[in-house]
């Protein structure tokens, strides 16, 4: 599985015409992806040849036991980890050919990430936390857009509160607003309900599915919760650094989500 050659003379390594390889360019294309890390005992093989294509707007759940490579795969898709070998093409960019600065700018434009641990800046209010990526991008309407994003996740009344003044569920909703405020093409969520109680987690996941669908974002969700994974269009089961099996949920699953 290999994409057509990349265009020359482009610092951001953009894919050439997608019609040469696919009817529609996938949001994510991974071919023979390998990741090995060094240790005192020798190399540790984290990912062992991942082949994957995810369509634009698709929702994909990634499940598997701890140590199977789920988070490592997400970090590679976000350009936060460097592959040992293979292709990683996300939203039209070959990530393995980009510099750290190019990756940072690309993430700012194209990717939203929601982590289990929230990763809010404790000295900033909710609206300041959400406005940060827009301010870095030079948006003059950063605070107006941040306020709208917080209202969309039900926190329009908590704009001036600091993370320590918010519940865990509220903090995760702030993190979700921050991830989506720039209308990313790709939303990555790594165990986004792992630090939340069941009911709060369900509400956060409703927002993730609802808002990513409204924006037309591709959603890749890492979870240990089979019920959450079952809401996705497709489920990938990782084991020992490989995709062990795949389930396609199809139109019936989308109907179950009310789409």
């Amino acid at each position: 599985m290999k994409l057509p050659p990349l265009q020359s003379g482009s610092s951001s390594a953009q894919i050439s015409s997608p019609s040469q390889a696919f009817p529609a360019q996938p949001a994510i294309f991974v071919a023979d992806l390998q990741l090995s890390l060094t240790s005192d005992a020798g190399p540790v093989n984290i990912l062992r040849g991942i082949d994957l294509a995810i369509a634009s707007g698709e929702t994909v759940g990634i499940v598997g036991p701890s140590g199977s490579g789920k988070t490592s795969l997400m970090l590679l898709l976000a350009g936060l980890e460097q592959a040992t070998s293979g292709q990683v093409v996300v939203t039209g960019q070959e990530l393995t050919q980009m510099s750290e600065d190019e990756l940072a700018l690309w993430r700012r434009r194209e990717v939203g990430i929601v982590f289990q641990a929230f990763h809010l800046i404790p000295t900033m209010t909710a609206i300041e936390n959400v406005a940060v990526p827009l301010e870095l991008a030079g948006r003059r309407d950063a605070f107006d857009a941040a306020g709208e994003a917080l209202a969309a996740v039900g926190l329009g009344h908590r704009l001036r509160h600091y993370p320590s003044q918010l519940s865990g569920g509220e903090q995760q909703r702030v993190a979700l607003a921050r991830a989506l405020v720039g209308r990313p093409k790709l939303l990555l969520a790594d165990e986004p309900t792992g630090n939340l109680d069941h009911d709060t987690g369900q509400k956060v996941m409703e927002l993730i599915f609802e808002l990513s669908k409204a924006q037309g974002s591709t959603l890749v969700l890492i979870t240990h919760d089979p019920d959450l994974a079952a809401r996705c269009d497709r489920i990938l089961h990782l084991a020992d650094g490989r995709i062990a099996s795949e389930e396609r949920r199809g139109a019936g699953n989308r109907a179950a989500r009310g789409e």
Side-chain angles (χ1 to χ4, degrees), residues 177-188:
R178 181 181 58 191
L180 288 171
V181 69
R183 305 187 69 85
K185 293 180 181 178
L186 173 63
L187 178 62
L188 301 170

Side-chain angles (χ1 to χ4, degrees), residues 79-133:
L80 292 169
E81 182 67 74
Q82 184 68 37
T84 303
S85 64
Q87 279 188 296
V88 186
V89 182
V90 185
T91 68
Q93 306 296 320
E94 172 56 272
L95 303 192
T96 60
Q97 297 185 13
M98 297 168 70
S99 69
E100 289 298 323
D101 288 343
E102 288 172 333
L103 285 167
L105 291 172
W106 166 78
R107 273 193 299 272
R108 188 186 304 166
R109 294 191 311 267
E110 308 282 0
V111 182
I113 308 175
V114 182
F115 294 100
Q116 177 178 342
F118 316 145
H119 291 302
L120 300 178
I121 301 171
T123 57
M124 289 187 174
T125 62
I127 194 168
E128 289 170 338
N129 267 280
V130 177
V132 163

Side-chain angles (χ1 to χ4, degrees), residues 26-164:
I28 294 171
F29 182 93
V30 171
D32 194 23
L33 181 61
Q34 310 269 347
L35 176 64
S36 297
L37 302 178
T38 58
S39 72
D40 292 340
V44 179
N45 297 319
I46 307 298
L47 298 176
R48 304 165 180 260
I50 300 287
D51 293 316
L52 175 64
I54 297 176
S56 178
E58 190 176 9
T59 61
V60 175
I62 299 178
V63 301
S66 297
S68 60
K70 303 185 301 298
T71 296
S72 293
L73 177 57
M74 192 200 79
L75 294 175
L76 286 163
L77 296 179
L80 292 169
E81 182 67 74
Q82 184 68 37
T84 303
S85 64
Q87 279 188 296
V88 186
V89 182
V90 185
T91 68
Q93 306 296 320
E94 172 56 272
L95 303 192
T96 60
Q97 297 185 13
M98 297 168 70
S99 69
E100 289 298 323
D101 288 343
E102 288 172 333
L103 285 167
L105 291 172
W106 166 78
R107 273 193 299 272
R108 188 186 304 166
R109 294 191 311 267
E110 308 282 0
V111 182
I113 308 175
V114 182
F115 294 100
Q116 177 178 342
F118 316 145
H119 291 302
L120 300 178
I121 301 171
T123 57
M124 289 187 174
T125 62
I127 194 168
E128 289 170 338
N129 267 280
V130 177
V132 163
L134 300 183
E135 288 188 299
L136 291 173
R139 288 267 300 268
R140 294 184 178 180
D141 65 339
F143 279 85
D144 289 338
E148 292 173 5
L150 284 166
V153 298
L155 291 178
H157 62 299
R158 304 284 262 170
L159 304 184
R160 308 297 173 186
H161 288 72
Y162 291 91
S164 62

